[in-house]
Amino acid sequence: MTDKKSPTLADPLDPEQVAHYLQQHPAFFVDHQELLGDLFLPHESGPAVSLVERQVSILRERNIDMRNRLSKLLDNARENDKLFDKTKRLILSLLEGQDLGDIVDALHYSFDKDFNIHFTSLQLYGNIDKLPSSQAQVVSIAQAREHIAPLLKSNRAMCGTLGQKELSFLFGKHAQDIGSVATVPLIHGTTFGMLAIANRDPNYYRSSMGTLFLGYIAEVLNRLLPKYLPR
């Protein structure tokens, strides 16, 4: 005699079992009204689709659409929470910096490890002999105007693609690996630097992309870095 295998949750339900359960629990849908929108109950109207059935179908579609929108909103909220936490850690690290090297190191570390940014470039404009040593690239403002003049004319963050000349000036040996960039000038009275980040994907930083995060980090640097630069 063969032993009958006990059913598990992974096994499909027998329709007769479902019907029997509902007979024994007539108030089931009263306690689970959220399931009613997923039921399909055709209205007897011959080959034509009744108005009631059509209305129910529309409501079901709207219900599915609203669920999808809510799911996206929740996903965005979770991503914003993560971004806020990362940004908070970065800002605190920048504020704790004791000198220019500490601040630049904290910026590069956070962008690389926390934000997983592929390439980061921080340029400071001035005389390399007069600026404290750091990971920042030091060039003259004349060199910057020669290579990235259009970027210097804006006082806000910008996203998109750059030519090879601009990429080489900002990212050096990594220029060939870069698909898209986001840049923001650093300004304290006058432009004293440029912060740029890049991704290998040409479509990652798009012109329509929000730049609130990068602009915010630049505002912090605008207040922290000038004290370490020669007047």
Side-chain angles (χ1 to χ4, degrees), residues 75-204:
D75 288 342
N76 288 338
R78 283 189 284 267
E79 288 301 316
N80 286 336
D81 283 343
K82 293 179 182 178
L83 180 60
F84 174 79
D85 287 338
K86 293 176 183 179
T87 305
K88 181 178 71 173
R89 287 196 295 270
L90 170 56
I91 299 303
L92 292 176
S93 296
L94 294 176
L95 293 175
E96 292 170 354
Q98 299 299 308
D99 53 32
L100 179 63
D102 285 349
I103 294 174
V104 176
D105 286 347
L107 178 72
H108 276 268
Y109 182 87
S110 178
F111 276 14
D112 180 38
K113 303 299 183 181
D114 243 359
F115 291 92
N116 296 316
I117 293 173
H118 291 172
F119 306 99
T120 299
S121 169
L122 175 62
Q123 287 188 342
L124 298 178
Y125 304 141
N127 188 330
I128 191 171
D129 296 325
K130 295 182 178 180
L131 283 174
S133 177
S134 72
Q135 288 191 68
Q137 178 188 4
V138 180
V139 298
S140 69
I141 186 66
Q143 289 176 296
R145 288 171 179 160
E146 178 184 352
H147 292 86
I148 55 171
L151 299 179
L152 296 175
K153 293 178 181 178
S154 173
N155 60 357
R156 58 186 179 83
M158 300 176 63
C159 293
T161 57
L162 294 177
Q164 203 59 38
K165 175 183 177 182
E166 291 89 348
L167 291 176
S168 296
F169 183 70
L170 290 171
F171 297 97
K173 63 182 181 180
H174 300 296
Q176 296 290 340
D177 302 320
I178 290 172
S180 56
V181 301
T183 64
V184 60
L186 301 178
I187 303 172
H188 184 74
T190 59
T191 301
F192 68 87
M194 178 70 67
L195 175 61
I197 55 179
N199 194 282
R200 295 182 180 87
D201 184 352
N203 297 313
Y204 191 83

Side-chain angles (χ1 to χ4, degrees), residues 40-60:
F40 176 65
L41 299 173
H43 183 72
E44 295 297 334
S45 57
V49 177
S50 73
L51 179 59
V52 172
E53 189 174 344
R54 178 56 179 158
Q55 288 175 324
V56 170
S57 176
I58 292 175
L59 290 175
R60 182 180 290 110

